Amino acid sequence: PEPSSLATTSSGSENLDSLGGLISSTPAESTTPEITSDASVSAYTEIASVTSPVNSTLSTPGFETGIMPPAEEAVVEESASIPAESRKTYTPMPPSLASDTMSLLGGSTVVSAEGSNALTAQVQENVRPKMYTFFHRIEPRSKATGMNDAGDNALLEAWEARWSEAGWDPKIINLEDAQRHPRFDEYYSRLQEVGMKGTGGQGKNRIYNELCFLRWIAMASVGGGFMSDYDLFPLGYGTGTDEPAPAQLPDPSFTVYSIVPNSQGAGIPCLISGSAEEWERMAFELLENAIQHKDDDHWTDMFALMDLRWSQDVYKWSDDVIDGQYVLLGREWTQDDCELTEGRRGVHFSHGAMTEGDISQYASETGETMNDR
């Protein structure tokens, strides 16, 4: 819907009829996973088997916040408001689909201490740190992300499995977590001032882009910590070192671990961390920046984060994530290729990476488009 159909009220409570109502708690009908998920998971499986300290026979690797850069070209119909009570993020993958995905990945979800080498042994000795991702289902007619329900579910299953195998406790949060924040109504009401019309100028992904902002206060609500997009997968322990992640957040300062290549800290919010206070501070920093750009047709949380790099000490940053296109080589990996991922925390298989990388060895030749892949 266009911004006018998401108008807020003075209390801010009724304003969820459009946003929350477009998110259903009813599991979608099982369909065959789209090539995006299959190809991404297959690509990651092969790369992880070379780069990870974990044995290559490990179980289901994983993928997407449910925050994947949208395919603005997709056609989406306008949607009327749906009751706000149906707000459930993630529906478990149907058994038959899960079985197919596991078969594709060549493993089970069981990780033996013997098969996973040092990883499992060290994880068992420590309390697992949490890794969050934000995902909230949007009705298909109201999104233009290039993903369908089956693809989203397969990606979430894989994301959970891989981060768990890397020694983390993966958690999926949603709009309900954002609503628990005491300043949610204020935040959401002011968010309506921000233009989110997309590259086509029609606002097809308005709901998606609002959720991208709301994930920041959702993280503050759950107590802060690490958050990754659900298309970002760990390399090794997901720490960039040979050591598993500590149980406690090592640095409460807000830190962004992925930047635009060759930029001066232009952050990409695919892997970030901070205390609850820092998440709240950043949520409102982004909102204020976006409101300052309200005359722009399109402004997102990522645009705001990049823009904020010019403000001194707003966030720390490092270049610890490699974009997926640089590891999708169109051939089997060799030991020499591991230099590409040395010292990196993870790989981000974004929509752009899947478009730019060479996934010809994974995608079936059925005439699908690059966006399908």
Side-chain angles (χ1 to χ4, degrees):
E2 297 302 320
S4 60
S5 65
L6 286 173
T8 62
T9 63
S10 57
S11 68
S13 58
E14 292 87 346
N15 55 17
L16 297 176
D17 287 343
S18 295
L19 177 63
L22 289 166
I23 299 165
S24 173
S25 59
T26 305
E29 293 184 9
S30 176
T31 57
T32 303
E34 61 188 43
I35 299 300
T36 301
S37 300
D38 294 353
S40 301
V41 171
S42 299
Y44 180 76
T45 306
E46 181 168 324
I47 294 165
S49 69
V50 178
T51 61
S52 174
V54 186
N55 186 285
S56 62
T57 60
L58 281 180
S59 62
T60 320
F63 294 66
E64 226 172 289
T65 37
I67 303 295
M68 176 179 280
E72 292 287 353
E73 297 81 9
V75 178
V76 181
E77 297 177 0
E78 292 295 327
S79 170
S81 173
I82 300 174
E85 55 265 21
S86 54
R87 297 184 190 120
K88 194 68 176 174
T89 311
Y90 165 60
T91 55
M93 186 187 296
S96 60
L97 181 54
S99 177
D100 292 343
T101 304
M102 301 299 275
S103 176
L104 168 71
L105 297 169
S108 69
T109 56
V110 178
V111 183
S112 67
E114 183 177 334
S116 62
N117 204 348
L119 177 67
T120 302
Q122 286 185 268
V123 167
Q124 290 175 341
E125 295 175 1
N126 299 293
V127 177
R128 290 171 176 257
K130 290 182 174 60
M131 176 61 73
Y132 293 96
T133 196
F134 183 100
F135 179 84
H136 211 98
R137 181 177 179 269
I138 304 172
E139 291 292 344
R141 65 179 178 273
S142 303
K143 69 176 181 178
T145 62
M147 294 289 286
N148 60 26
D149 287 334
D152 280 331
N153 286 344
L155 205 51
L156 286 163
E157 289 271 342
W159 177 88
E160 281 188 295
R162 181 54 70 186
W163 279 102
S164 179
E165 289 162 5
W168 298 73
D169 181 15
K171 301 288 186 182
I172 300 171
I173 58 176
N174 61 24
L175 178 61
E176 292 176 353
D177 295 292
Q179 290 173 304
R180 294 187 185 100
H181 193 280
R183 299 181 67 184
F184 175 83
D185 286 350
E186 171 196 352
Y187 193 91
Y188 185 71
S189 177
R190 297 188 65 200
L191 189 59
Q192 306 314 301
E193 300 178 39
V194 182
M196 303 179 198
K197 296 183 180 179
T199 56
Q202 300 179 36
K204 294 176 180 178
N205 269 319
R206 172 85 197 187
I207 294 172
Y208 165 88
N209 285 309
E210 286 188 354
L211 289 170
C212 285
F213 276 94
L214 294 175
R215 59 179 168 160
W216 296 75
I217 61 170
M219 280 297 299
S221 179
V222 299
F226 277 87
M227 183 180 75
S228 89
D229 282 358
Y230 77 140
D231 57 355
L232 188 142
F233 297 89
L235 290 166
Y237 295 109
T239 59
T241 71
D242 293 332
E243 298 293 329
Q248 301 298 320
L249 188 66
D251 184 356
S253 303
F254 201 86
T255 307
V256 180
Y257 300 95
S258 179
I259 62 170
V260 174
N262 303 315
S263 72
Q264 294 179 303
I268 299 172
C270 61
L271 183 63
I272 38 188
S273 71
S275 66
E277 293 78 13
E278 285 286 86
W279 275 99
E280 179 175 314
R281 177 183 67 81
M282 284 299 300
F284 281 89
E285 290 271 12
L286 295 174
L287 179 61
E288 293 298 336
N289 178 276
I291 291 174
Q292 290 173 15
H293 290 270
K294 64 182 180 181
D295 292 333
D296 292 32
D297 286 340
H298 189 57
W299 202 254
T300 68
D301 69 323
M302 186 167 73
F303 290 173
L305 185 65
M306 291 179 179
D307 198 38
L308 284 172
R309 76 185 186 275
W310 304 118
S311 301
Q312 189 174 7
D313 299 329
V314 173
Y315 61 83
K316 295 181 178 180
W317 60 270
S318 59
D319 190 11
D320 293 352
V321 172
I322 186 169
D323 293 331
Q325 65 264 34
Y326 300 117
V327 302
L328 296 172
L329 305 178
R331 57 170 173 77
E332 293 186 6
W333 268 50
T334 67
Q335 193 65 36
D336 290 341
D337 293 324
C338 292
E339 293 181 6
L340 292 170
T341 58
E342 185 175 357
R344 303 287 185 142
R345 291 173 177 265
V347 182
H348 188 202
F349 291 101
S350 65
H351 185 275
M354 297 302 295
T355 301
E356 297 176 25
D358 186 345
I359 60 173
S360 56
Q361 71 186 108
Y362 308 110
S364 60
E365 297 181 3
T366 58
E368 73 274 11
T369 66
M370 183 56 69
N371 189 58
D372 291 331
R373 295 185 177 186

